[in-house]
Amino acid sequence: MTIRTYVSTTVRNDRVDDVLHALEDVDPDTIVASVNRSDAPDVPAGVSVSLTGDVREAVKKQLDVIPDLECEIDVRDTADL
């Protein structure tokens, strides 16, 4: 059984690095699945990552400080995939 926390966010383009750093603080081995960003700083960007274990509460705490962030957090057992 391997539990992973999957996080998908929409945030201003100029805040993507803040999101990535916040999630890497929770899990230094964060796997970045995708980052969709534009050249314009205020355009929404998408970030999808995977973290080891059930760390949804830690993720919420880290991301709560970032303004204008929409976030989906899902915990899955990857052995079932």
Side-chain angles (χ1 to χ4, degrees):
M1 176 163 83
T2 303
I3 303 294
R4 294 203 62 86
T5 301
Y6 294 87
V7 181
S8 297
T9 67
T10 302
V11 66
R12 282 176 40 128
N13 195 31
D14 59 348
R15 304 294 284 184
V16 168
D17 291 332
D18 296 337
V19 170
L20 292 174
H21 292 304
L23 294 173
E24 287 168 352
D25 285 347
V26 174
D27 178 6
D29 296 321
T30 296
I31 298 171
V32 178
S34 70
V35 175
N36 300 314
R37 52 165 86 176
S38 158
D39 291 333
D42 59 346
V43 172
V47 176
S48 297
V49 302
S50 169
L51 300 93
T52 304
D54 181 350
V55 292
R56 64 188 129 185
E57 291 305 317
V59 167
K60 287 178 189 174
K61 284 181 186 177
Q62 286 292 96
L63 297 182
D64 276 350
V65 300
I66 299 173
D68 303 321
L69 175 75
E70 294 178 30
C71 180
E72 270 185 48
I73 302 171
D74 186 29
V75 177
R76 298 182 206 151
D77 180 351
T78 57
D80 293 339
L81 299 178

